[in-house]
Amino acid sequence: MRLAIKKRPGVCGAGHPQAEPGQDGAPGGRAPKQTCGRRGGKPARELGAMEKARPLWANPLQFVFACISYAVGLGNVWRFPYLCQMYGGGSFLVPYLIMLVVEGMPLLYLELAVGQRMRQGSIGAWRSISPYLSGVGVASVVVSFFLSMYYNVINAWAFWYLFHSFQDPLPWSHCPLNSNHTGYDEECELASSTQYFWYRKTLNISPSIQESGSVQWEPALCLVLAWLAVYLCILRGTASTGKVVYFTASLPYCVLIIYLVRGLTLHGATNGLAYMFTPKMEQLANPKAWINAATQIFFSLGLGFGSLIAFASYNEPSSNCQRHAVVVSLINSATSIFASVVTFSIYGFKATFNYESCLNKVILLLTNAFDLEDGFLTASNLEQVKGYLASTYPSQYNEVFPQIKNCSLEAELDTAVQGTGLAFIVYTEAIKNMEVSQLWSVLYFFMLLMLGIGSMLGNTAAILTPLTDSKAISRRLPKEAISGLLCLVSCVIGMVFTTEAGNYWFDIFNDYAATLSLLLIVLVEIGAVCYVYGLRRFASDLQAMTGRPLNWYWKVMWAGVSPLIIISLLLFYLSDYILTGTLRYQAWDASQGQLVTKDYPTYALVVIGLLVASSTMCIPLVALAAFILRCLKRGGGTTSEV
Amino acid sequence: MLWLLFFLVTAIHAELCQPDAKNAFKVRLSIKTALGDKAYVWDANEEYLFKAMIAFSMRKVPNRGTTDISHVLVCNVTQRVSFWFVVTDPSKNHTLPADEIQLAVRMNRNRINNAFSLNDQTLEFLKIPSTLAPPTDPSVPIWIIIFGVIFCIVIVAITLLVLSGIWQRRRKNKGPSEVDDVEDKCENTITIENGISSDSMDMKGWHINDTFMTEDERLTPL
């Protein structure tokens, strides 16, 4: 795969062509320089000799696709529809779009600009701004490492479901028989077949986080495969990543469009759509709606991980990152809204299906209890007949009455689910009722895989770019070995998530590894750029680099509005944690066939504390270390002079 | 006299076949649900067929080979369609034990269903559970096959990429040794400025003050 190395016209008017595609950061020997017969005040190295140290994206489209592929992830599919449903349907779009313009775009532009300007990964970039701030980069790398560890487990699960989609009938569409073949498995009867397949067959979940059980070999195999797939994509750095992101960015849209058409033609889809998009204006006054909108924008764009800085560092310095930032954030939000249309038509179908099954069960019950003619009771005359029966045969009716469920479409639609529950339980329940369910299942899990791998590419780039930038490591090991080592270590640690209690640890990582730390990291980032480096200096740098002056809007946002929003989010989260007291989690109870709430044991709380601390403490600790080193050097310098 | 006998027989029959009588089973049919437009009406002929199927099933039970249609009694037919039935012994005084009837029906459930174009859910014998079909487990789970295929593809692709990377690097290492000889003819000096080798300063951007980066090697502290 040939990298497109851009040649720069040299001082002597002749470019310095590269021999062949170079690897970044690991020059075999010293690059020969032509001095053209003069010692340079302007070093001859500007003649593109060091260009081979940094590969570039083959064209700007690859960069945009990489950012889209990274930002558009599973959160767009399984978090935004939930938020939309919880906070007023159509009216949630108002705070969402406002936060996009006020918080999302400025922060995204900031990260891309920093990366493009400093042309290094997160650690190097922040060290260039100030050596005391390289802790920000280190914190980003630590958070990215945590994220990549647990995020790939989702890809493993997607692989698992994908492989199981090639069966007829789908394995989650029916309950397995119990041991003596007289009925269905008890746990499956209490829950539903899709829940049973998820909790028992996929996770084999234990009743609590204390009982960790053993590593399940099936999800472990899928995890190994997931890491191998990620390794394959990042193996060659931007060369391979640049090609892969064409697929991971575009294929999910194809599947979403197919699903949109299919979803809208499903029976009952309009119920879901009407329910979702009916605006409940009173939710606009709910501060939680605004906070969740801000949080969703923040995390959906993937700010603070260092991935955006890493991607932008492979950009041409003159590329228009402002336009890219606006485009990427708009596409990300549009995808969220698009995905929620699809999700809600599927919801509507599922809810209508369940509602009609419930009605049919009631009809059957009454028909059998009163020996009415088969087919006499329908959904339309149900209430009438119920009244008639209640008055004519009161004693019999009272016997049957406790078993009659109140079927309600709203109650079915109200079951708001997010996260893995939505993706692996609710969607599969809807899919099993469609015709040709294998095809829809394969398409859906393939889309989940593309979304997940696209985000993983960004995560691993955030970790690998600083590592390959650092001379100490990249001189000793080639890029392939560094990536391989990272994948191996993450895979081995990720085996924790394939144990029987793995899903509980997954929830811990999902809820706590990134949330608080990222807010702090981005806050320090903005502060660093605006106040340590200097907003005016940064603006003039950008203008020199891209040739366009910085719009006043961005300056206002960076200096004032966005930091305020982040501070308020931080305060909200902290107060939320403090007020809730002890932290709780949802555990699956096999005997009841549903989730129960339990308290975390002490060691789990310790792990949570370590997760948050290990990334946030990097910032002050590294600053302190840099300060001490500087003092030592200065002390050493003065003594040597004397 | 004949009328008296007739009444006696029907009275005995009525006692034998009653809802919740001993050894009686309730049957429930949902013909409209199963067949929709093609549903047939439940009349005396269908009842006759049912009695025949039950008699047939009982004949398969050891020691009951002489069961006749007249031994099967049906009563309490409702609009649902549901009714109760019992099977009597040849003397028509006692009903046959429920176990035997259950065994007979379970053994021949498929034949009985097919006679009426119904299935286990639409022709229900209450209190006679139907045997659920065992799951068809293939010898090798399908998912492992697909997993194996994808796994092999990925491994092969990784190996190819890694190997091609190694070959390229080997070629490149042979390459510069020839270029270097040519370059030596030009003034290939390393510019040293202010005691800081330009080599150690990497190009990070257009306007960064690189000396800030390499302050560790600064000779004159500020």
Side-chain angles (χ1 to χ4, degrees), chain A residues 170 259 262 265-267 349 353 430-441:
Chain A
L170 290 172
Y259 254 91
R262 172 76 266 221
T265 53
L266 284 172
H267 166 64
F349 165 70
F353 188 87
I431 288 174
K432 80 176 199 267
N433 297 324
M434 295 184 193
E435 288 113 48
V436 201
S437 38
Q438 282 79 12
L439 170 68
W440 300 111
S441 182

PDB file of all heavy atoms in Angstrom, chain A residues 170 259 262 265-267 349 353 430-441:
ATOM      1  N   LEU A 170     -33.636 -18.605  14.300  1.00  0.00           N
ATOM      2  CA  LEU A 170     -32.647 -17.897  15.096  1.00  0.00           C
ATOM      3  C   LEU A 170     -32.662 -18.448  16.513  1.00  0.00           C
ATOM      4  O   LEU A 170     -33.720 -18.693  17.066  1.00  0.00           O
ATOM      5  CB  LEU A 170     -32.958 -16.402  15.126  1.00  0.00           C
ATOM      6  CG  LEU A 170     -32.748 -15.670  13.812  1.00  0.00           C
ATOM      7  CD1 LEU A 170     -33.283 -14.258  13.936  1.00  0.00           C
ATOM      8  CD2 LEU A 170     -31.282 -15.661  13.443  1.00  0.00           C
ATOM      9  N   TYR A 259     -32.519  -0.483   6.789  1.00  0.00           N
ATOM     10  CA  TYR A 259     -33.374  -0.674   7.954  1.00  0.00           C
ATOM     11  C   TYR A 259     -34.456   0.383   8.032  1.00  0.00           C
ATOM     12  O   TYR A 259     -35.559   0.115   8.509  1.00  0.00           O
ATOM     13  CB  TYR A 259     -32.538  -0.654   9.235  1.00  0.00           C
ATOM     14  CG  TYR A 259     -32.368  -2.015   9.825  1.00  0.00           C
ATOM     15  CD1 TYR A 259     -31.282  -2.798   9.478  1.00  0.00           C
ATOM     16  CD2 TYR A 259     -33.311  -2.534  10.691  1.00  0.00           C
ATOM     17  CE1 TYR A 259     -31.157  -4.065   9.995  1.00  0.00           C
ATOM     18  CE2 TYR A 259     -33.182  -3.797  11.214  1.00  0.00           C
ATOM     19  CZ  TYR A 259     -32.090  -4.555  10.862  1.00  0.00           C
ATOM     20  OH  TYR A 259     -31.954  -5.805  11.376  1.00  0.00           O
ATOM     21  N   ARG A 262     -37.111  -0.718   5.663  1.00  0.00           N
ATOM     22  CA  ARG A 262     -37.792  -1.887   6.231  1.00  0.00           C
ATOM     23  C   ARG A 262     -38.587  -1.494   7.474  1.00  0.00           C
ATOM     24  O   ARG A 262     -39.724  -1.916   7.669  1.00  0.00           O
ATOM     25  CB  ARG A 262     -36.743  -2.948   6.599  1.00  0.00           C
ATOM     26  CG  ARG A 262     -37.285  -4.142   7.370  1.00  0.00           C
ATOM     27  CD  ARG A 262     -38.030  -5.102   6.524  1.00  0.00           C
ATOM     28  NE  ARG A 262     -39.450  -4.843   6.533  1.00  0.00           N
ATOM     29  CZ  ARG A 262     -40.394  -5.781   6.597  1.00  0.00           C
ATOM     30  NH1 ARG A 262     -40.040  -7.030   6.658  1.00  0.00           N
ATOM     31  NH2 ARG A 262     -41.641  -5.469   6.578  1.00  0.00           N
ATOM     32  N   THR A 265     -41.862   0.287   6.891  1.00  0.00           N
ATOM     33  CA  THR A 265     -42.936  -0.505   6.307  1.00  0.00           C
ATOM     34  C   THR A 265     -43.432  -1.586   7.251  1.00  0.00           C
ATOM     35  O   THR A 265     -44.322  -2.345   6.900  1.00  0.00           O
ATOM     36  CB  THR A 265     -42.469  -1.168   5.004  1.00  0.00           C
ATOM     37  OG1 THR A 265     -41.259  -1.878   5.279  1.00  0.00           O
ATOM     38  CG2 THR A 265     -42.219  -0.136   3.938  1.00  0.00           C
ATOM     39  N   LEU A 266     -42.875  -1.655   8.429  1.00  0.00           N
ATOM     40  CA  LEU A 266     -43.338  -2.667   9.377  1.00  0.00           C
ATOM     41  C   LEU A 266     -44.682  -2.275   9.949  1.00  0.00           C
ATOM     42  O   LEU A 266     -44.992  -1.098  10.096  1.00  0.00           O
ATOM     43  CB  LEU A 266     -42.339  -2.828  10.519  1.00  0.00           C
ATOM     44  CG  LEU A 266     -41.068  -3.605  10.227  1.00  0.00           C
ATOM     45  CD1 LEU A 266     -40.136  -3.490  11.403  1.00  0.00           C
ATOM     46  CD2 LEU A 266     -41.384  -5.055   9.958  1.00  0.00           C
ATOM     47  N   HIS A 267     -45.436  -3.282  10.318  1.00  0.00           N
ATOM     48  CA  HIS A 267     -46.741  -3.046  10.920  1.00  0.00           C
ATOM     49  C   HIS A 267     -46.546  -2.470  12.317  1.00  0.00           C
ATOM     50  O   HIS A 267     -45.914  -3.082  13.158  1.00  0.00           O
ATOM     51  CB  HIS A 267     -47.468  -4.391  10.969  1.00  0.00           C
ATOM     52  CG  HIS A 267     -48.663  -4.382  11.849  1.00  0.00           C
ATOM     53  ND1 HIS A 267     -49.775  -3.608  11.600  1.00  0.00           N
ATOM     54  CD2 HIS A 267     -48.935  -5.039  12.997  1.00  0.00           C
ATOM     55  CE1 HIS A 267     -50.660  -3.804  12.544  1.00  0.00           C
ATOM     56  NE2 HIS A 267     -50.184  -4.667  13.411  1.00  0.00           N
ATOM     57  N   PHE A 349     -42.838  -1.347  16.054  1.00  0.00           N
ATOM     58  CA  PHE A 349     -43.193  -2.678  15.566  1.00  0.00           C
ATOM     59  C   PHE A 349     -43.218  -3.669  16.709  1.00  0.00           C
ATOM     60  O   PHE A 349     -44.175  -4.444  16.883  1.00  0.00           O
ATOM     61  CB  PHE A 349     -42.198  -3.096  14.492  1.00  0.00           C
ATOM     62  CG  PHE A 349     -42.227  -4.556  14.147  1.00  0.00           C
ATOM     63  CD1 PHE A 349     -43.305  -5.094  13.467  1.00  0.00           C
ATOM     64  CD2 PHE A 349     -41.187  -5.391  14.506  1.00  0.00           C
ATOM     65  CE1 PHE A 349     -43.342  -6.438  13.152  1.00  0.00           C
ATOM     66  CE2 PHE A 349     -41.218  -6.728  14.192  1.00  0.00           C
ATOM     67  CZ  PHE A 349     -42.297  -7.257  13.515  1.00  0.00           C
ATOM     68  N   PHE A 353     -46.442  -5.573  18.167  1.00  0.00           N
ATOM     69  CA  PHE A 353     -46.468  -7.032  18.133  1.00  0.00           C
ATOM     70  C   PHE A 353     -46.763  -7.588  19.518  1.00  0.00           C
ATOM     71  O   PHE A 353     -47.627  -8.472  19.677  1.00  0.00           O
ATOM     72  CB  PHE A 353     -45.117  -7.533  17.625  1.00  0.00           C
ATOM     73  CG  PHE A 353     -45.065  -8.997  17.366  1.00  0.00           C
ATOM     74  CD1 PHE A 353     -45.448  -9.509  16.138  1.00  0.00           C
ATOM     75  CD2 PHE A 353     -44.648  -9.877  18.347  1.00  0.00           C
ATOM     76  CE1 PHE A 353     -45.407 -10.863  15.893  1.00  0.00           C
ATOM     77  CE2 PHE A 353     -44.612 -11.229  18.119  1.00  0.00           C
ATOM     78  CZ  PHE A 353     -44.990 -11.729  16.888  1.00  0.00           C
ATOM     79  N   ALA A 430     -37.237  -7.712  18.125  1.00  0.00           N
ATOM     80  CA  ALA A 430     -37.969  -7.211  16.967  1.00  0.00           C
ATOM     81  C   ALA A 430     -37.591  -7.986  15.717  1.00  0.00           C
ATOM     82  O   ALA A 430     -38.440  -8.326  14.900  1.00  0.00           O
ATOM     83  CB  ALA A 430     -37.693  -5.729  16.772  1.00  0.00           C
ATOM     84  N   ILE A 431     -36.282  -8.299  15.596  1.00  0.00           N
ATOM     85  CA  ILE A 431     -35.820  -8.951  14.379  1.00  0.00           C
ATOM     86  C   ILE A 431     -36.406 -10.345  14.245  1.00  0.00           C
ATOM     87  O   ILE A 431     -36.750 -10.788  13.145  1.00  0.00           O
ATOM     88  CB  ILE A 431     -34.274  -9.014  14.379  1.00  0.00           C
ATOM     89  CG1 ILE A 431     -33.704  -7.625  14.152  1.00  0.00           C
ATOM     90  CG2 ILE A 431     -33.765  -9.961  13.318  1.00  0.00           C
ATOM     91  CD1 ILE A 431     -32.211  -7.573  14.276  1.00  0.00           C
ATOM     92  N   LYS A 432     -36.563 -11.044  15.379  1.00  0.00           N
ATOM     93  CA  LYS A 432     -37.021 -12.430  15.261  1.00  0.00           C
ATOM     94  C   LYS A 432     -38.436 -12.492  14.725  1.00  0.00           C
ATOM     95  O   LYS A 432     -38.870 -13.530  14.233  1.00  0.00           O
ATOM     96  CB  LYS A 432     -36.906 -13.141  16.601  1.00  0.00           C
ATOM     97  CG  LYS A 432     -38.029 -12.862  17.580  1.00  0.00           C
ATOM     98  CD  LYS A 432     -37.825 -13.718  18.810  1.00  0.00           C
ATOM     99  CE  LYS A 432     -39.082 -13.842  19.606  1.00  0.00           C
ATOM    100  NZ  LYS A 432     -39.477 -13.082  20.619  1.00  0.00           N
ATOM    101  N   ASN A 433     -39.185 -11.392  14.829  1.00  0.00           N
ATOM    102  CA  ASN A 433     -40.548 -11.405  14.332  1.00  0.00           C
ATOM    103  C   ASN A 433     -40.684 -10.925  12.900  1.00  0.00           C
ATOM    104  O   ASN A 433     -41.786 -10.908  12.361  1.00  0.00           O
ATOM    105  CB  ASN A 433     -41.436 -10.535  15.229  1.00  0.00           C
ATOM    106  CG  ASN A 433     -41.508 -11.079  16.625  1.00  0.00           C
ATOM    107  OD1 ASN A 433     -41.509 -12.274  16.813  1.00  0.00           O
ATOM    108  ND2 ASN A 433     -41.550 -10.198  17.606  1.00  0.00           N
ATOM    109  N   MET A 434     -39.572 -10.497  12.314  1.00  0.00           N
ATOM    110  CA  MET A 434     -39.651 -10.059  10.916  1.00  0.00           C
ATOM    111  C   MET A 434     -39.554 -11.266   9.999  1.00  0.00           C
ATOM    112  O   MET A 434     -39.048 -12.315  10.394  1.00  0.00           O
ATOM    113  CB  MET A 434     -38.486  -9.128  10.587  1.00  0.00           C
ATOM    114  CG  MET A 434     -38.484  -7.829  11.339  1.00  0.00           C
ATOM    115  SD  MET A 434     -37.112  -6.844  10.729  1.00  0.00           S
ATOM    116  CE  MET A 434     -37.043  -5.602  11.952  1.00  0.00           C
ATOM    117  N   GLU A 435     -40.001 -11.097   8.763  1.00  0.00           N
ATOM    118  CA  GLU A 435     -39.758 -12.182   7.812  1.00  0.00           C
ATOM    119  C   GLU A 435     -38.303 -12.186   7.414  1.00  0.00           C
ATOM    120  O   GLU A 435     -37.650 -11.162   7.388  1.00  0.00           O
ATOM    121  CB  GLU A 435     -40.610 -11.983   6.547  1.00  0.00           C
ATOM    122  CG  GLU A 435     -42.076 -12.241   6.756  1.00  0.00           C
ATOM    123  CD  GLU A 435     -42.837 -10.957   6.609  1.00  0.00           C
ATOM    124  OE1 GLU A 435     -42.579 -10.253   5.611  1.00  0.00           O
ATOM    125  OE2 GLU A 435     -43.660 -10.631   7.480  1.00  0.00           O
ATOM    126  N   VAL A 436     -37.815 -13.327   6.990  1.00  0.00           N
ATOM    127  CA  VAL A 436     -36.406 -13.492   6.611  1.00  0.00           C
ATOM    128  C   VAL A 436     -35.528 -12.917   7.713  1.00  0.00           C
ATOM    129  O   VAL A 436     -34.647 -12.093   7.469  1.00  0.00           O
ATOM    130  CB  VAL A 436     -36.096 -12.799   5.263  1.00  0.00           C
ATOM    131  CG1 VAL A 436     -34.854 -13.405   4.658  1.00  0.00           C
ATOM    132  CG2 VAL A 436     -37.239 -12.928   4.301  1.00  0.00           C
ATOM    133  N   SER A 437     -35.775 -13.355   8.942  1.00  0.00           N
ATOM    134  CA  SER A 437     -35.092 -12.715  10.064  1.00  0.00           C
ATOM    135  C   SER A 437     -33.585 -12.915  10.028  1.00  0.00           C
ATOM    136  O   SER A 437     -32.859 -12.083  10.566  1.00  0.00           O
ATOM    137  CB  SER A 437     -35.661 -13.234  11.384  1.00  0.00           C
ATOM    138  OG  SER A 437     -35.947 -14.591  11.307  1.00  0.00           O
ATOM    139  N   GLN A 438     -33.117 -13.998   9.369  1.00  0.00           N
ATOM    140  CA  GLN A 438     -31.668 -14.196   9.335  1.00  0.00           C
ATOM    141  C   GLN A 438     -30.986 -13.043   8.619  1.00  0.00           C
ATOM    142  O   GLN A 438     -29.937 -12.544   9.048  1.00  0.00           O
ATOM    143  CB  GLN A 438     -31.306 -15.502   8.617  1.00  0.00           C
ATOM    144  CG  GLN A 438     -31.496 -16.743   9.428  1.00  0.00           C
ATOM    145  CD  GLN A 438     -32.950 -17.156   9.469  1.00  0.00           C
ATOM    146  OE1 GLN A 438     -33.768 -16.636   8.721  1.00  0.00           O
ATOM    147  NE2 GLN A 438     -33.256 -18.073  10.340  1.00  0.00           N
ATOM    148  N   LEU A 439     -31.583 -12.615   7.498  1.00  0.00           N
ATOM    149  CA  LEU A 439     -30.970 -11.544   6.728  1.00  0.00           C
ATOM    150  C   LEU A 439     -30.898 -10.277   7.550  1.00  0.00           C
ATOM    151  O   LEU A 439     -29.846  -9.615   7.612  1.00  0.00           O
ATOM    152  CB  LEU A 439     -31.805 -11.299   5.462  1.00  0.00           C
ATOM    153  CG  LEU A 439     -31.435 -10.051   4.678  1.00  0.00           C
ATOM    154  CD1 LEU A 439     -30.075 -10.216   4.066  1.00  0.00           C
ATOM    155  CD2 LEU A 439     -32.464  -9.760   3.601  1.00  0.00           C
ATOM    156  N   TRP A 440     -31.995  -9.915   8.208  1.00  0.00           N
ATOM    157  CA  TRP A 440     -32.003  -8.685   8.986  1.00  0.00           C
ATOM    158  C   TRP A 440     -31.041  -8.762  10.147  1.00  0.00           C
ATOM    159  O   TRP A 440     -30.381  -7.785  10.495  1.00  0.00           O
ATOM    160  CB  TRP A 440     -33.433  -8.394   9.483  1.00  0.00           C
ATOM    161  CG  TRP A 440     -34.371  -8.251   8.355  1.00  0.00           C
ATOM    162  CD1 TRP A 440     -35.368  -9.096   7.998  1.00  0.00           C
ATOM    163  CD2 TRP A 440     -34.364  -7.211   7.376  1.00  0.00           C
ATOM    164  NE1 TRP A 440     -35.979  -8.643   6.861  1.00  0.00           N
ATOM    165  CE2 TRP A 440     -35.390  -7.496   6.461  1.00  0.00           C
ATOM    166  CE3 TRP A 440     -33.586  -6.075   7.179  1.00  0.00           C
ATOM    167  CZ2 TRP A 440     -35.667  -6.685   5.380  1.00  0.00           C
ATOM    168  CZ3 TRP A 440     -33.859  -5.264   6.097  1.00  0.00           C
ATOM    169  CH2 TRP A 440     -34.891  -5.573   5.215  1.00  0.00           C
ATOM    170  N   SER A 441     -30.958  -9.947  10.732  1.00  0.00           N
ATOM    171  CA  SER A 441     -30.054 -10.109  11.855  1.00  0.00           C
ATOM    172  C   SER A 441     -28.607  -9.928  11.413  1.00  0.00           C
ATOM    173  O   SER A 441     -27.826  -9.225  12.055  1.00  0.00           O
ATOM    174  CB  SER A 441     -30.266 -11.505  12.450  1.00  0.00           C
ATOM    175  OG  SER A 441     -29.456 -11.685  13.540  1.00  0.00           O
TER     176      SER A 441
END
